[in-house]
């Protein structure tokens, strides 16, 4: 189940049920009350926060790999990382007709930890459980850069994201640090230490210089 949680009064407003296996990825539309989920039951579902039942179901049978979903900055395109190497793009208005584009990410099959767009929707970033994050041209599907070096011997699904201005890529790591690279050439920037254990999730506020990271605890980061 997916829980819609009110931080104002610490209550659950709604439960969204339909998946039959653990939910592995969530993405909220930046424009309206729609969100998407992907689960280990090899389905992706779209939902409206105001309605308990799902709006639609897309199935990816036989993928056998961890999926991820993400909206583009305009809330019109929904990206799904499925099948280990494929990224499928859906027009949210006509998602039931299937993807309007499918890209194959080069290399070995991957478990998708995350997938996200940069601020103008021209780049996508794929976080994996295979010790690398990959940037992709969102229009052509070509691989641009591979970001490596962070520790992931346990094969954890470590999320990666763009900074708000798109100049850097950030990823969690088993060593408790947030690793950072320059987007254009994948050169390493100083890592940020603060967690006691693996950092599995990193998110950047799209309008403010604030970063949130999570592992055994949640940390909030501001510029020095």
């Amino acid at each position: 189940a997916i829980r819609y949680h009110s931080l104002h009064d610490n209550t659950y407003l709604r439960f969204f049920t339909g998946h039959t296996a653990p939910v592995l990825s969530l993405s909220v539309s930046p424009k309206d009350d729609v969100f998407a989920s992907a689960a280990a039951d090899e389905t992706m579902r779209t939902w409206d926060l105001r309605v308990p039942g799902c709006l639609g179901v897309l199935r990816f049978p036989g993928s056998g790999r961890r999926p991820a979903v993400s909206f583009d900055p305009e809330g019109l395109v929904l990206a799904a990382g499925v099948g280990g190497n494929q990224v499928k793009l859906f027009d949210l208005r006509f998602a039931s007709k299937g993807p309007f584009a499918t890209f194959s990410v080069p290399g070995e099959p991957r478990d998708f930890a995350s997938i996200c767009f940069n601020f103008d929707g021209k780049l996508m970033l794929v976080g994996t459980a295979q010790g690398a994050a990959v940037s992709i041209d969102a229009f052509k599907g070509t691989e641009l850069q591979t970001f490596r070096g962070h520790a992931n011997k346990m094969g954890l699904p470590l999320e990666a994201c763009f900074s708000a201005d798109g100049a850097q890529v950030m990823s969690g790591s088993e060593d408790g640090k947030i690793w950072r690279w320059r987007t254009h050439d994948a050169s390493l920037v100083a890592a940020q230490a603060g967690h006691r254990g693996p950092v599995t999730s990193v998110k950047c506020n799209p309008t403010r210089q604030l970063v949130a990271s999570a592992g055994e605890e949640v940390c909030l980061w501001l510029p020095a």
Side-chain angles (χ1 to χ4, degrees), residues 63 65-66 80-88 102-112 126 130 136 141 143:
S63 62
R65 290 283 183 173
R66 183 185 178 96
V82 297
N85 282 78
Q86 290 190 327
V87 175
K88 297 179 180 289
T102 300
F103 305 140
S104 293
V105 182
E108 62 181 315
R110 296 173 168 93
D111 289 294
F112 288 92
V126 175
Q130 278 71 39
I136 303 168
E143 181 179 348

Side-chain angles (χ1 to χ4, degrees), residues 75-204:
L76 297 175
V77 175
L78 184 61
V82 297
N85 282 78
Q86 290 190 327
V87 175
K88 297 179 180 289
L89 301 182
F90 298 85
D91 185 322
L92 192 61
R93 298 164 295 180
F94 312 106
S96 61
K97 295 182 179 181
F100 66 83
T102 300
F103 305 140
S104 293
V105 182
E108 62 181 315
R110 296 173 168 93
D111 289 294
F112 288 92
S114 62
I115 186 169
C116 66
F117 289 84
N118 71 334
F119 68 95
D120 61 7
K122 294 181 179 180
L123 301 178
M124 288 188 293
L125 180 68
V126 175
T128 75
Q130 278 71 39
V134 181
S135 61
I136 303 168
D137 185 301
F139 297 102
K140 300 178 181 179
T142 53
E143 181 179 348
L144 300 176
Q145 299 289 345
T146 299
F147 306 90
R148 298 183 182 276
H150 51 307
N152 194 13
K153 294 181 179 179
M154 293 186 288
L156 299 177
L158 302 179
E159 291 186 4
C161 71
F162 290 107
S163 59
D165 61 3
Q168 293 186 8
V169 164
M170 301 183 182
S171 174
S173 178
E174 286 181 356
D175 60 9
K177 297 178 181 179
I178 299 173
W179 281 60
R180 299 185 294 155
W181 302 264
R182 293 179 181 87
T183 303
H184 72 283
D185 63 0
S187 60
L188 192 62
V189 183
Q192 298 170 239
H195 285 269
R196 293 171 292 182
V199 183
T200 55
S201 182
V202 181
K203 294 284 192 299
C204 292

